[in-house]
């Protein structure tokens, strides 16, 4: 038997058994990547307390979480004793809502599942600028929504004495 030949149990040369294989190489068809819709955001930048966009209580806004990791911050004025109600609705994807007082302390939040409406209601403990924050939780999506702030009730008196004339 030759050096590269195989032998059987009797020592007889056996021709090499070569399996033939056909290899087909195809170029992969690229999977189309979904294109992100252009960002229709008009309130940017508003990702921090310092950059917060102003929202007029009683007037709804229709901004967008765009890009997906965006954080939208809105400010409004409320007086001590007023009832503050912030509503987040009409979302395309899941988003959450937080409400902060004038000292930028978290006072309430809502993190309902999916596109269920979010709502936070508190009584203003002080007078000043309050902040509503909206952030998306579904990565990769432009998320439109409606934000509405309502104020009800009369502000509480601050206890400042009214000067009176003395005779």
């Amino acid at each position: 038997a030759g050096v590269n030949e195989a032998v059987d149990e009797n020592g007889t040369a056996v021709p090499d058994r070569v399996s033939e294989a056909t290899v087909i190489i195809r170029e992969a068809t690229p999977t189309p990547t979904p294109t992100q819709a252009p960002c229709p955001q008009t309130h940017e930048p508003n990702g921090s307390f310092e950059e917060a966009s102003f929202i007029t209580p009683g007037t709804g806004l229709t901004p967008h979480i765009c890009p997906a990791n965006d954080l939208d911050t809105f400010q409004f004025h409320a007086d001590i004793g007023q009832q503050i109600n912030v509503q987040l609705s009409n979302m395309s994807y899941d988003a959450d809502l937080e409400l902060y007082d004038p000292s930028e302390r978290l006072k309430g939040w809502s993190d309902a599942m999916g596109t269920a409406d979010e709502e936070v209601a508190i009584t203003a403990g002080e007078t000043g600028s309050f902040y509503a924050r909206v952030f998306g939780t579904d990565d990769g999506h432009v998320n439109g929504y409606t934000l509405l702030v309502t104020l009800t009730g009369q502000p509480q008196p601050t206890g400042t004495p009214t000067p009176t004339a003395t005779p």
Side-chain angles (χ1 to χ4, degrees), residues 40 62-66 88-93 95 141-146:
T62 55
H64 293 79
I65 295 294
C66 181
L88 177 63
S89 60
N90 301 319
M91 294 165 283
S92 306
Y93 299 94
H141 298 287
V142 171
N143 191 356
Y145 61 90
T146 300

Side-chain angles (χ1 to χ4, degrees), residues 58-121:
T59 304
L61 292 180
T62 55
H64 293 79
I65 295 294
C66 181
N69 61 350
D70 188 25
L71 168 69
D72 290 345
T73 307
F74 298 91
Q75 71 172 311
F76 57 93
H77 180 86
D79 291 317
I80 190 169
Q82 286 188 302
Q83 303 300 309
I84 300 171
N85 185 282
V86 183
Q87 296 173 315
L88 177 63
S89 60
N90 301 319
M91 294 165 283
S92 306
Y93 299 94
D94 191 20
D96 292 333
L97 174 65
E98 296 176 337
L99 179 58
Y100 292 81
D101 70 9
S103 298
E104 300 173 5
R105 291 181 302 240
L106 181 64
K107 301 307 282 184
W109 70 91
S110 176
D111 61 357
M113 297 296 292
T115 58
D117 291 354
E118 310 276 352
E119 183 174 8
V120 178

